[in-house]
Amino acid sequence: MVKLNKIYTRTGDDGTTGLSTGARRLKHDLRVEAYGTVDEANSFVGLARLHTEQDYPELDAMLVRIQNDLFDLGADLATPDTGETLAYEPLRIIDAQVSRVEADIDQLNENLAPLRSFVLPGGSPASAALHLARTVSRRAERQMVELSQRPDEIVTSAALKYINRVSDFLFVAARVVNDNGSKDVLWVPGKNR
């Protein structure tokens, strides 16, 4: 269990931060950027929930699960697999978490009309907030993919699949809160030429 007695430690004053393993990394290190962006996405999901908790309780419950899983993902990324044995079992995203998000997407998608154009973020405050969370999740995904391509860094396939599905989920959720897509703002190519 995590216990935080003191919020400031001064250990990061030199521009480094500690990973779960105790190793220090620069605060602009790609691994730190990736889990920091996951945290940012989680914050935007929390902001979106201000617009969903009253009117969309089932969707809101899904978002609560995603927020918890995003913290799991941050813990996963903050504990790099170096091949060394740790004194504890590191928290990792597992395929069951991916499957659960897929099931949630399928459930939400049942009542949506097929898209005939790309959707512009907006339509309602809830939808705009969910789209913002989606775009931050996509940025986290790009950083995680870049990190996974480095020869000395490991990002599990489950973690990569999870962040990809979360972005998909947030897109579908944004359509749901736009009256199941009827209030979506659609892109009209070349409309303002």
Side-chain angles (χ1 to χ4, degrees):
M1 184 54 83
V2 175
K3 184 177 179 181
L4 301 173
N5 289 331
K6 193 171 183 179
I7 300 304
Y8 68 91
T9 61
R10 297 188 178 115
T11 58
D13 292 350
D14 65 353
T16 65
T17 192
L19 300 179
S20 298
T21 59
R24 305 289 299 174
R25 296 269 182 112
L26 289 170
K27 290 185 178 185
H28 66 79
D29 180 88
L30 185 56
R31 182 169 291 276
V32 177
E33 286 284 339
Y35 71 70
T37 305
V38 167
D39 186 39
E40 186 180 348
N42 202 343
S43 296
F44 279 113
V45 172
L47 182 64
R49 290 193 55 235
L50 295 176
H51 302 284
T52 62
E53 61 188 345
Q54 293 294 328
D55 297 331
Y56 304 94
E58 192 172 359
L59 171 62
D60 193 63
M62 294 174 184
L63 290 169
V64 169
R65 288 192 298 268
I66 284 174
Q67 281 195 288
N68 198 81
D69 285 353
L70 286 173
F71 238 87
D72 288 356
L73 178 58
D76 185 329
L77 292 169
T79 313
D81 183 354
T82 61
E84 298 175 18
T85 303
L86 299 175
Y88 57 92
E89 180 69 28
L91 184 59
R92 300 286 181 219
I93 291 292
I94 60 173
D95 287 329
Q97 290 167 291
V98 176
S99 297
R100 195 209 66 247
V101 175
E102 288 174 349
D104 288 347
I105 292 169
D106 292 342
Q107 180 183 340
L108 293 177
N109 209 33
E110 285 178 1
N111 297 320
L112 295 177
L115 277 172
R116 307 244 184 274
S117 179
F118 288 104
V119 175
L120 301 177
S124 70
S127 181
L130 288 162
H131 277 295
L132 185 55
R134 173 187 59 81
T135 60
V136 176
S137 295
R138 286 290 185 212
R139 179 162 34 97
E141 180 183 14
R142 291 189 300 272
Q143 291 168 337
M144 289 169 61
V145 168
E146 182 181 354
L147 182 65
S148 75
Q149 298 303 302
R150 294 190 176 177
D152 55 338
E153 299 284 6
I154 295 172
V155 178
T156 67
S157 64
L160 289 169
K161 286 187 278 189
Y162 184 81
I163 193 65
N164 188 16
R165 293 310 179 284
V166 165
S167 301
D168 295 337
F169 173 89
L170 293 168
F171 176 79
V172 172
R175 295 196 66 218
V176 166
V177 299
N178 266 348
D179 200 16
N180 284 323
S182 68
K183 294 182 180 173
D184 281 342
V185 180
L186 299 179
W187 174 49
V188 180
K191 178 181 179 181
N192 301 310
R193 286 180 160 186

